[in-house]
């Protein structure tokens, strides 16, 4: 689409634009990813119809062996998402064919192209500004938690390894966040090309991490790259000349359609309110989220990692590491839950915790997914060095002693930064 400002487009450009126009707008509508403020309130009914149609499509057209699950899973690459993508692509292809037949004599779509770039620019810009805030404030990739610090590398998932790697460094989070915040340059026509060039590098890195660490946001991250390339297409030739030749060139700036004075003022005012809302409220919202579940969230009373030094069952100290009852460690990260790691068998178990209303040093533990497996555990904190506990479970009287570890006790957190290193400290 190198002739966007010319009176006549080629047949290929017109057909390509028709498909792109429908495809990108539908994708933005159904895979909004909270980019546009209040979108899910505005688009409630179509999304409701989609959630009803997609399971039917999976069962009756694709004959999937399992029902299509709809719900919060932390993944943006579910069967539901891929079926939505199939529908978007199919509908875009059908609309492009019909549109091409009934609008054969159209010379160009300059005005529609402008509005499409507006939708894409704001979609990418708003989304990456949100993600940028969550990195600058280190909300998306928090510092390694107690659960992570005692987890062997080999037992972590590729996604978990990526989260630990990225979350380790506040500085790198800041670096990534600033790079994503620069997508704000897309919100203005005169800085759009420069913003798209920077955003392309950022989006390609996001996509690469998602692909190579199996992070389930592949659909959205891939489309961020595709959309950014779409914005750069009119200047591809000029950028090539700039970087690889000594020929003088000038970048194209998308022309805004002429509007009446009143409409122009209204549109500029709407843009100011929308951009201001995303930038100001988005920052405030991220700070609030940091206090709710980020680094500034309240920590449970027993927060930390406790290595079990002695584990006694019915008066006998257990030293056989093959015994499935033997605990290795306890980790407390979030209020209302804890992790128990054993030496063998089903190594990791998560329990919900409830404070006993009658005493401050007794917890009711209920295993996640196994409501019938619960017991009361008495505990006593030993200053800041650990805790002792005892409980009765399945007929056994169990006592335990632990040593508490703090973040600084792990090399990952204590190593620090060194300008001068006489030897590589690679452990």
């Amino acid at each position: 689409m190198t002739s966007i400002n010319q009176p006549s487009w080629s047949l290929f450009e017109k057909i390509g634009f028709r498909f792109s126009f429908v495809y990108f707008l539908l994708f933005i509508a159904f895979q909004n990813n909270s980019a546009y403020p209040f979108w899910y309130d505005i688009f409630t009914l179509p999304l409701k119809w989609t959630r009803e149609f997609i399971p039917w499509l999976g069962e009756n057209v694709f004959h999937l062996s399992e029902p299509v699950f709809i719900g919060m899973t932390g993944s943006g690459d579910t069967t539901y998402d891929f079926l939505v993508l199939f529908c978007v692509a199919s509908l875009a292809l059908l609309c492009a064919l019909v549109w091409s037949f009934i609008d054969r004599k159209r010379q160009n779509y300059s005005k529609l192209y402008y509005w499409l770039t507006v939708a894409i620019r704001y979609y990418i810009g708003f989304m990456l500004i949100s993600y940028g805030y969550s990195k600058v404030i280190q909300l998306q990739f928090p510092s390694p938690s107690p659960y992570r610090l005692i987890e062997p590398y080999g037992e972590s998932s590729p996604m978990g390894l990526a989260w630990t790697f990225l979350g380790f460094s506040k500085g790198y989070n800041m670096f990534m966040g600033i790079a994503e915040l620069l997508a704000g340059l897309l919100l203005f026509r005169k800085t759009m090309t420069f913003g798209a060039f920077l955003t392309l590098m950022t989006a390609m890195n996001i996509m690469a991490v998602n692909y190579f660490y199996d992070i389930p946001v592949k659909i959205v991250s891939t489309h961020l790259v595709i959309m950014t390339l779409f914005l750069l297409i009119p200047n591809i030739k000029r950028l090539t000349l700039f970087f690889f030749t000594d020929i003088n060139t000038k970048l194209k700036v998308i022309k805004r359609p002429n509007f009446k004075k009143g409409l122009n003022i209204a549109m500029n005012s709407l843009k100011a309110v929308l951009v201001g809302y995303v930038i100001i409220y988005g920052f405030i919202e991220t700070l609030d989220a940091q206090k709710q579940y980020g680094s500034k969230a309240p920590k449970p009373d027993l927060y930390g990692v406790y290595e079990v030094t002695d584990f006694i069952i019915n008066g006998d100290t257990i030293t056989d590491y093959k015994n499935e009852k033997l605990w290795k460690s306890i980790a407390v990260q979030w209020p209302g839950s804890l992790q128990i790691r054993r030496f063998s068998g089903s190594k990791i178990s998560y329990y919900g915790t409830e404070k006993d209303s009658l005493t401050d040093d007794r917890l009711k533990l209920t295993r996640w997914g196994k409501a019938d497996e619960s017991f009361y555990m008495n505990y006593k904190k030993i200053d800041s060095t650990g805790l002792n506990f005892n409980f009765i479970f399945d007929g056994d009287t169990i006592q335990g002693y632990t040593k508490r570890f703090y973040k600084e006790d792990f090399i990952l957190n204590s190593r620090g930064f060194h300008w001068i290193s006489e030897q590589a400290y690679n452990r």
Side-chain angles (χ1 to χ4, degrees), residues 264-423:
N264 196 52
I265 294 174
M267 290 179 59
N268 286 334
S269 299
L270 177 62
K271 177 178 179 178
V273 171
L274 187 60
V275 173
Y277 176 87
V278 169
I279 292 176
I280 298 173
Y281 180 75
F283 184 70
I284 294 173
E285 189 177 40
T286 307
L287 286 176
D288 186 58
Q290 184 188 34
K291 295 176 183 178
Q292 291 184 41
Y293 55 86
S295 59
K296 294 184 178 180
K299 298 291 191 296
D301 184 45
L302 297 179
Y303 181 86
V305 175
Y306 301 85
E307 181 186 53
V308 176
T309 56
D310 292 289
F311 198 74
I312 303 168
I313 301 179
N314 299 324
D316 295 327
T317 300
I318 305 301
T319 57
D320 180 8
Y321 291 157
K322 294 182 180 180
N323 190 323
E324 294 186 8
K325 296 181 179 181
L326 179 59
W327 290 9
K328 183 178 182 181
S329 63
I330 302 171
V332 181
Q333 180 172 332
W334 302 109
S337 67
L338 61 76
Q339 178 200 84
I340 295 173
R341 182 177 289 269
R342 294 174 172 82
F343 275 100
S344 64
S346 52
K347 291 186 177 180
I348 302 175
S349 302
Y350 294 92
Y351 290 81
T353 62
E354 293 180 50
K355 273 275 191 181
D356 192 320
S357 58
L358 300 179
T359 177
D360 291 333
D361 53 3
R362 192 174 190 228
L363 291 174
K364 181 182 180 182
L365 274 63
T366 304
R367 189 168 181 177
W368 291 6
K370 295 184 178 180
D372 59 333
E373 185 178 321
S374 65
F375 56 91
Y376 285 91
M377 183 175 78
N378 302 298
Y379 67 89
K380 180 181 180 181
K381 289 192 291 184
I382 309 300
D383 298 324
S384 59
T385 60
L387 61 84
N388 302 336
F389 61 86
N390 64 81
F391 59 91
I392 297 174
F393 179 74
D394 200 20
D396 293 323
T397 300
I398 297 172
Q399 294 174 275
Y401 302 87
T402 70
K403 175 184 177 182
R404 183 172 184 176
F405 283 87
Y406 292 86
K407 283 191 173 184
E408 296 74 20
D409 294 323
F410 295 89
I411 293 175
L412 182 65
N413 293 317
S414 63
R415 169 62 180 167
F417 175 82
H418 299 78
W419 281 112
I420 298 175
S421 298
E422 302 300 346
Q423 293 183 344

Side-chain angles (χ1 to χ4, degrees), residues 145-201:
S145 67
Y147 292 175
R148 291 292 184 195
L149 288 171
I150 60 174
E151 182 179 52
Y153 281 163
E155 292 183 14
S156 66
S157 66
M159 180 177 175
L161 180 61
W163 245 247
T164 306
F165 165 73
L166 296 172
F168 162 74
S169 171
K170 290 183 179 180
Y172 192 58
N173 266 266
M174 182 73 72
F175 178 81
M176 291 188 294
I178 292 172
E180 292 182 358
L181 288 174
L182 288 174
L185 294 170
L186 293 173
L187 304 178
F188 308 95
R189 289 183 301 114
K190 293 183 179 180
T191 58
M192 185 202 78
T193 301
F194 181 59
F197 183 76
L198 295 177
T199 300
L200 178 62
M201 303 300 105

Side-chain angles (χ1 to χ4, degrees), residues 229-247:
L229 285 170
F230 180 82
L231 295 176
L232 285 172
I233 284 176
N235 279 302
I236 286 294
K237 183 177 180 181
R238 286 170 167 76
L239 288 171
T240 303
L241 291 175
F242 176 79
F243 283 111
F244 300 108
T245 73
D246 59 356
I247 300 174

